[in-house]
Amino acid sequence: ASCVGGIPSMVDHGQTGLLFPAGDPYSLADKVRTLFIDEGAAVRMGESARHVALERHDPQRVAGQLLDAYASVSSRSFSVL
């Protein structure tokens, strides 16, 4: 993935994927080459990324966080200007 926006916060370089500088096709090609050469690393990163994604986007976890946020906001007292 390219290092733009929030992508680096979602990809742990070398653990859940490989990052390359945006606009650098040579670096991208190098990362793709790395995955073809080291299939074991590609599989490990893919499995790790899947595990992280399943945890990060677990519907019950996300719903719980959303409800907690709503509860936090609704319990605050607001003054009307």
Side-chain angles (χ1 to χ4, degrees):
S2 61
C3 293
V4 296
I7 291 175
S9 69
M10 297 180 71
V11 176
D12 184 6
H13 183 75
Q15 300 298 313
T16 60
L18 298 175
L19 295 168
F20 66 94
D24 186 349
Y26 298 104
S27 183
L28 169 59
D30 181 60
K31 302 303 184 255
V32 171
R33 180 177 174 271
T34 297
L35 296 176
F36 277 114
I37 290 172
D38 190 349
E39 186 177 338
V43 169
R44 283 190 301 279
M45 283 187 271
E47 289 172 349
S48 181
R50 182 177 190 281
H51 173 76
V52 168
L54 288 173
E55 183 178 315
R56 180 180 288 151
H57 303 290
D58 174 64
Q60 287 183 313
R61 184 175 157 279
V62 171
Q65 288 175 328
L66 182 60
L67 291 173
D68 289 345
Y70 285 152
S72 172
V73 170
S74 68
S75 67
R76 296 181 188 167
S77 55
F78 296 94
S79 62
V80 177
L81 299 176

